[in-house]
């Protein structure tokens, strides 16, 4: 398989896996920490209308979903890639960072969560995932 095709497949796989991890954690979170009474967390409009009722514990699973989804996607992409492993892992981080920014624009959250999420969930996790994959590939 050509290195270019393999790198494209790595990016696609990283985005798909990262998204699946993200959504899975969010689904689990909705059953572990219930939204405040009267908040419909199944729609963006319901979340937007009830955001002021959310307490810090309601942001644990969204943070974990963003961080672990990015980590898993970056790791997988860097493992699959034929070359430029760290650049591809960082590309996955940028993809999910842009998604995080879009989410914040559509669904405003408290400033402390916005800062925590944007600064720690995406690029640091992409770097960790990329480094872990590169290290693992060296040891194989």
């Amino acid at each position: 398989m050509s290195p270019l095709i393999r790198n494209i497949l790595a990016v696609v796989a990283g985005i798909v896996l990262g998204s699946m991890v993200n959504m899975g954690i969010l689904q689990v979170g909705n059953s572990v920490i219930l939204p405040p009474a009267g908040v419909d967390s199944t729609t963006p409009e319901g979340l937007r209308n009830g955001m002021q009722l959310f307490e810090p514990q309601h942001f644990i699973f969204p943070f974990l979903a963003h961080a672990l989804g990015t980590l898993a996607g970056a790791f997988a992409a860097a493992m699959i890639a034929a070359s430029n492993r760290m650049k591809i892992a960082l590309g996955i981080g940028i993809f999910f960072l842009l998604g995080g920014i879009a989410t914040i624009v559509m669904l405003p959250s408290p400033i402390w969560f916005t800062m925590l999420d944007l600064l720690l969930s995406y690029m640091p996790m992409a770097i960790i995932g990329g480094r872990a994959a590169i290290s693992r590939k060296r040891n194989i």
Side-chain angles (χ1 to χ4, degrees):
M1 177 181 304
S2 120
L4 176 63
I5 298 296
R6 186 169 172 150
N7 286 349
I8 291 169
L9 290 174
V11 170
V12 171
I15 290 170
V16 169
L17 179 67
S19 297
M20 289 172 56
V21 168
N22 183 320
M23 293 307 294
I25 292 171
L26 289 175
Q27 290 296 321
V28 168
N30 285 336
S31 62
V32 173
I33 300 174
L34 299 176
V39 175
D40 176 13
S41 65
T42 61
T43 66
E45 183 178 288
L47 283 171
R48 201 172 19 256
N49 292 337
M51 189 60 69
Q52 71 279 3
L53 300 174
F54 279 65
E55 298 174 3
Q57 76 249 14
H58 295 108
F59 295 96
I60 293 170
F61 279 93
F63 175 78
L64 288 174
H66 300 165
L68 296 178
T70 302
L71 179 69
F75 178 80
M79 286 294 290
I80 295 167
S83 61
N84 299 311
R85 296 181 194 286
M86 185 55 80
K87 287 180 183 176
I88 288 173
L90 292 173
I92 298 297
I94 290 168
F95 176 85
F96 284 107
L97 174 62
L98 292 173
I101 291 168
T103 300
I104 288 166
V105 168
M106 292 183 292
L107 185 63
S109 57
I111 191 69
W112 66 265
F113 177 73
T114 298
M115 298 307 293
L116 179 75
D117 194 47
L118 292 180
L119 294 176
L120 298 180
S121 290
Y122 303 105
M123 298 314 292
M125 292 298 122
I127 292 167
I128 292 168
R131 285 183 180 169
I134 290 166
S135 174
R136 183 173 170 112
K137 281 296 226 182
R138 274 192 215 124
N139 294 331
I140 293 178

